[in-house]
């Protein structure tokens, strides 16, 4: 028995009985035989009988019924690829297995090599066909065009790489210039501090003489106060050495006892003596030397905040009035308002007087601070502020730090910004006493804006 060529057998099984070519859109009819969709449709249209007959087994059916054979369609794709592989292996023998003619043509629809006889068959008659050499040249042109595109993309990426390296070099140079600028500003600040130190030390020397003339009773009161503080310090040091559960268990009682005794929590602020000594007057003069004129920006004010005509005052006003137009800079949830001018460099100082109200906050915010939705007031969100709520003072750190002011509530609060040192501090202007100072922060090149936040029934004025 002659050896059967598997590829040829597969080709025969994958061919339509009507057109003798590979199936095109194969479908199965009522008896299970397969045909090209166009071939069986054309055959049945030519029949005049009422029933539909299978061209192979002649079995009839009363209705025209066929379904797509997707599995056979996949087999056809395999047969096409095998035909191409056989052609590649045969090399120069490129002949049609069916007609034994040289495969000189290329079917653009089926993407396969065909002979001149296949070209006239029903399977390829309506397809676009070109000579093999022309098809090869066309394919090479496509590949060369795509290769050109890839090379152009590579050149662009190399250009971008060079530009990025140049940009980074420029940024590094700018950073170095900024570093030199910071060093220069720091040297100026050191010189200013040395001058102020000399002035204050001279006045403190005079104060030493005044202290020596105090009455014995006053000295005794101070000694008793020192003794009380030493006891509290010792108690806190012992408390810090306790295990975590013991430390937390009684911490609230300790704070209450310290407040009751006139002590102070860890805010870095001491009790102020009555009056305003000479060194306090000097300190006030130093701060006010850096005073800036602050005006509030109406475009940032929450709709329930009403600004004065000169932009120096603001109060809580929930009464109905003409709708305020929305603005990208306006706070829509937190009752805040920002200053109009950004504080960009050096030292700056400004004062706020609280006319009425017990719920408010004052401080500084970055220009990029969040305006829409609820705003968290802490340095992580770009806000350095101090506030009062329900009779309690607190620094709005993360978490907030409670404050105790033994000398009473300040009527005017001073806000000091030292960009060079990265420091924001708050002062009781009446007593010229330090309230709180935030740890050094990196503000970067972004400007800082004065910030006010008001609760119900509160009114605040920028001190002249």
């Amino acid at each position: 028995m002659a050896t059967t060529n598997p590829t040829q057998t597969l080709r025969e099984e994958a061919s339509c009985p009507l057109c003798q070519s590979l199936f095109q859109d194969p479908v199965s009819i009522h008896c299970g035989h397969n045909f090209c969709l166009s071939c069986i449709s054309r055959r049945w249209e030519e029949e005049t009988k009422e029933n539909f007959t299978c061209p192979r087994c002649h079995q009839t059916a009363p209705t025209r019924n066929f379904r797509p054979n997707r599995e056979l369609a996949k087999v056809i794709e395999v047969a096409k690829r095998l035909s191409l592989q056989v052609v590649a292996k045969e090399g120069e023998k490129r002949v049609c297995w069916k007609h034994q003619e040289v495969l000189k043509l290329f079917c653009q629809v089926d993407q396969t090599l065909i002979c001149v006889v296949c070209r006239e068959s029903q399977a390829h008659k309506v397809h676009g066909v070109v000579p093999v050499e022309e098809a090869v040249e066309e394919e090479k042109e496509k590949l060369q065009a795509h290769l050109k595109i890839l090379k152009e993309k590579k050149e662009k990426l190399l250009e971008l790489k060079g530009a990025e390296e140049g940009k980074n070099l420029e940024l590094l140079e700018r950073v170095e210039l900024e570093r030199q600028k910071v060093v220069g500003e720091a040297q100026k600040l050191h010189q200013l501090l040395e001058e102020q130190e000399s002035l204050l030390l001279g006045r403190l020397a005079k104060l030493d003489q005044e202290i020596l003339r105090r009455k014995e009773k006053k000295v005794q009161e101070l000694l008793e106060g020192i003794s009380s503080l030493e006891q509290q310090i010792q108690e806190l040091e012992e408390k810090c050495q306790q295990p975590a559960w013991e430390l937390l268990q009684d911490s609230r009682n300790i704070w209450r006892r310290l407040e009751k005794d006139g002590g102070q929590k860890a805010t870095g602020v001491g009790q102020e003596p009555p009056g305003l000594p000479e060194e306090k007057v000097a300190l006030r003069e130093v701060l006010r030397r850096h005073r800036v004129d602050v005006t509030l920006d109406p475009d940032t004010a929450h709709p329930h905040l009403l600004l004065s005509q000169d932009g120096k005052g603001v109060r809580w006003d929930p009464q109905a009035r003409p709708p305020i137009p929305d603005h990208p800079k306006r706070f829509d949830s937190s009752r805040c308002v920002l200053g109009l001018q950004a504080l960009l460099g050096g030292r700056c100082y400004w004062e706020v007087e609280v006319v009425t109200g017990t719920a408010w906050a004052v401080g500084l915010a970055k220009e990029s601070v969040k305006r829409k939705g609820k705003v968290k007031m802490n340095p992580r969100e770009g806000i350095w502020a101090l506030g009062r709520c329900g009779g309690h003072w607190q620094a709005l750190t993360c978490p907030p730090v409670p404050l105790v002011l033994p000398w009473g509530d300040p009527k005017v609060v001073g806000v000091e910004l030292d960009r060079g040192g990265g420091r924001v501090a708050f002062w009781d202007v009446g007593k010229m006493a330090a309230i709180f100072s935030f740890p050094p922060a990196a503000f970067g090149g972004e400007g800082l804006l004065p910030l006010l936040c008001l609760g119900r029934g509160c009114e605040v004025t920028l001190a002249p």
Side-chain angles (χ1 to χ4, degrees), residues 84-237:
L84 291 175
Q85 292 177 4
V86 169
V87 170
K89 290 180 180 180
E90 291 178 352
E92 297 301 326
K93 295 180 179 180
R94 300 172 299 172
V95 296
C96 176
W97 65 271
K98 185 175 182 180
H99 304 109
Q100 299 303 312
E101 293 287 340
V102 178
L103 299 172
K104 296 181 179 180
L105 303 175
F106 180 74
C107 178
Q108 295 176 320
V109 176
D110 295 336
Q111 294 290 296
T112 184
L113 296 171
I114 62 175
C115 67
V116 293
V117 179
C118 294
R119 174 69 179 90
E120 299 302 324
S121 67
Q122 191 67 32
H124 300 285
K125 191 171 184 178
V126 296
H127 293 174
V129 175
V130 295
V132 171
E133 292 78 6
E134 183 179 337
V136 171
E137 289 300 323
E138 182 179 354
E139 189 68 20
K140 285 183 178 180
E141 290 177 0
K142 291 180 180 179
L143 293 175
Q144 291 294 337
H146 190 69
L147 181 60
K148 182 180 178 182
I149 293 173
L150 294 178
K151 289 182 177 179
E152 291 176 352
K153 288 184 178 179
K154 178 183 176 182
E155 290 298 326
K156 289 183 179 179
L157 290 177
L158 289 174
E159 292 177 1
L160 291 175
K161 175 177 174 292
E164 188 65 24
E165 291 176 347
K167 180 180 178 181
N168 290 334
L169 181 59
E170 180 183 354
L171 290 175
L172 289 174
E173 293 175 351
R174 291 173 60 184
V175 169
E176 181 60 29
L177 291 176
E178 188 67 23
R179 182 182 292 107
Q180 296 176 4
K181 180 180 177 182
V182 170
V183 171
E185 292 292 334
Q187 291 176 350
K188 293 180 182 178
L189 290 174
H190 287 317
Q191 182 179 357
L192 177 62
L193 290 175
E194 289 175 357
E195 295 174 356
Q196 297 300 325
E197 180 185 13
S198 178
L199 175 63
L200 292 176
L201 287 176
R203 293 180 176 177
L204 287 174
K206 296 180 181 179
L207 182 62
D208 287 339
Q209 298 176 2
E210 179 66 23
I211 292 176
L212 292 176
R213 293 192 293 268
R214 288 185 179 181
K215 294 181 181 181
E216 183 178 357
K217 180 179 178 180
K218 185 62 178 180
V219 173
Q220 184 62 34
E221 290 176 356
L222 292 175
L223 292 175
E224 291 176 357
I226 293 172
S227 176
S228 175
L229 288 174
E230 288 177 346
Q231 292 178 3
Q232 295 173 18
I233 291 171
Q234 181 180 359
E235 182 180 359
L236 291 178
E237 289 178 345

Side-chain angles (χ1 to χ4, degrees), residues 271-453:
Q271 186 171 357
E272 297 294 325
L276 196 60
E278 292 183 4
E279 74 277 9
K280 298 295 185 180
V281 176
L283 179 59
R284 176 188 293 172
E285 292 177 358
V286 172
L287 290 174
R288 290 186 173 178
R289 190 176 301 169
H290 303 284
R291 191 161 183 169
V292 294
D293 184 23
V294 176
T295 303
L296 300 177
D297 185 357
D299 289 337
T300 65
H302 182 276
H304 286 172
L305 298 183
L306 182 62
L307 271 61
S308 61
Q309 292 184 355
D310 60 0
K312 300 293 185 180
V314 58
R315 63 183 175 89
W316 164 266
D317 183 22
Q319 301 298 325
R321 59 179 186 271
I324 297 178
D326 191 17
H327 195 283
K329 299 194 300 182
R330 189 180 306 284
F331 291 90
D332 62 357
S333 181
S334 297
R335 297 185 292 271
C336 298
V337 61
L338 297 175
L340 188 60
Q341 302 87 5
L343 309 178
L344 298 174
R347 295 181 65 185
C348 303
Y349 175 77
W350 54 291
E351 298 176 352
V352 176
E353 179 182 359
V354 180
V355 180
T356 59
T358 58
W360 52 272
V362 59
L364 293 163
K366 287 187 174 181
E367 288 183 300
S368 61
V369 69
K370 176 183 176 183
R371 315 293 177 90
K372 306 303 180 183
K374 190 66 176 177
V375 178
K376 296 181 180 179
M377 304 187 70
N378 58 60
R380 293 181 182 176
E381 301 298 326
I383 295 177
W384 292 263
L386 173 145
R388 186 170 185 265
C389 182
H392 299 286
W393 289 82
Q394 58 181 356
L396 301 179
T397 58
C398 190
V401 174
L403 304 175
V404 176
L405 308 182
W407 61 86
D409 294 339
K411 296 185 179 300
V412 180
V413 176
V415 184
E416 179 190 7
L417 167 64
D418 180 5
R419 287 192 69 104
R423 190 173 72 95
V424 177
F426 298 88
W427 300 84
D428 180 344
V429 177
K431 297 292 185 180
M432 213 61 255
I435 300 176
F436 185 81
S437 179
F438 279 88
F443 303 125
E446 187 173 352
L448 298 178
L449 295 168
L451 168 75
L452 295 176
C453 186

